[in-house]
Amino acid sequence: TWLPAQPGTDGAMAMAMGHVMLKEFFVDRRVPFFVDYVQRYTDLPFLVTLQERDGAHVPGKFLTAADLGEDGEGAEWRTVLVDGRTGEPVVPNGSLGFRHTPSGAGRWNLDLGDVTPQLTLHGGDAAEVLLPRFDALDGTGGVLRRGVPVRRVAGKLVTTVFDLMLAQYGVHRDGLPGTWPAGYDDATEPYTPAWQEAITSVPAEQVTRVAREMARNSEESDGKTMIIMGAGICQWFHGD
């Protein structure tokens, strides 16, 4: 399938593909292989602090072991997640605070033991966050007002990286405040398939279909899907 994106607009198409994948394979239906992978090998479960600004909140720094009251070596660089079994914050192996301190020797791995990282805080309180957008035709920036689930840990208001990512991609869930796309055909809100069509010239239905095909292939093959960055027209007559 040829997706003839205008030069320099492939990022918009990729965001729309991500919108489809996150909505259909992480929210509408939680694919076990995908969820397990991001829980163990990405920063999506980690907690991010939120700071008040302009009647809402903006993402701040990661919550760390130092915020939990630990004062050991590297505590300010050891990030925190919520254990889905207990609902309590934990400091897993493998973050920067373990990598570059003598006390972290032997704990650089991502072995979680019995900990089950909680990807989302959805189901409790919520707060509106301000997120950047840069899609105006005149090159100016703007602000998205979207909601994330929150809770307080060590006196700080926090959410997860995963929850922030869903908000940035415009994937709505029940009970969250803010302004959201009405559907894939809503061209006024980033980052829907219809939104990217006006930027890339690639039909929205094509982007939706290819995103689904990629995700379904990954689900069926345990992740054997790849975007190959090949030679372009500056190297080969017809590219790859």
Side-chain angles (χ1 to χ4, degrees), residues 12-89:
M13 186 170 65
M15 289 296 289
M17 293 175 71
H19 177 93
V20 173
M21 292 176 178
L22 288 168
K23 182 179 187 304
E24 297 187 7
F25 295 85
F26 282 88
V27 175
D28 293 349
R29 183 169 65 90
R30 287 170 59 92
V31 175
F33 175 77
F34 294 173
V35 172
D36 176 70
Y37 185 90
V38 299
Q39 282 176 325
R40 291 191 290 149
Y41 299 123
T42 77
D43 68 353
L44 294 186
F46 286 102
L47 299 176
V48 178
T49 61
L50 299 176
Q51 301 170 351
E52 291 188 25
R53 181 183 298 176
D54 298 333
H57 297 81
V58 293
K61 297 181 178 181
F62 280 109
L63 192 75
T64 67
D67 295 317
L68 299 183
E70 298 184 19
D71 57 2
E73 184 182 44
E76 68 275 24
W77 300 102
R78 296 181 180 180
T79 46
V80 180
L81 51 77
V82 172
D83 187 345
R85 303 168 309 150
T86 65
E88 296 299 318

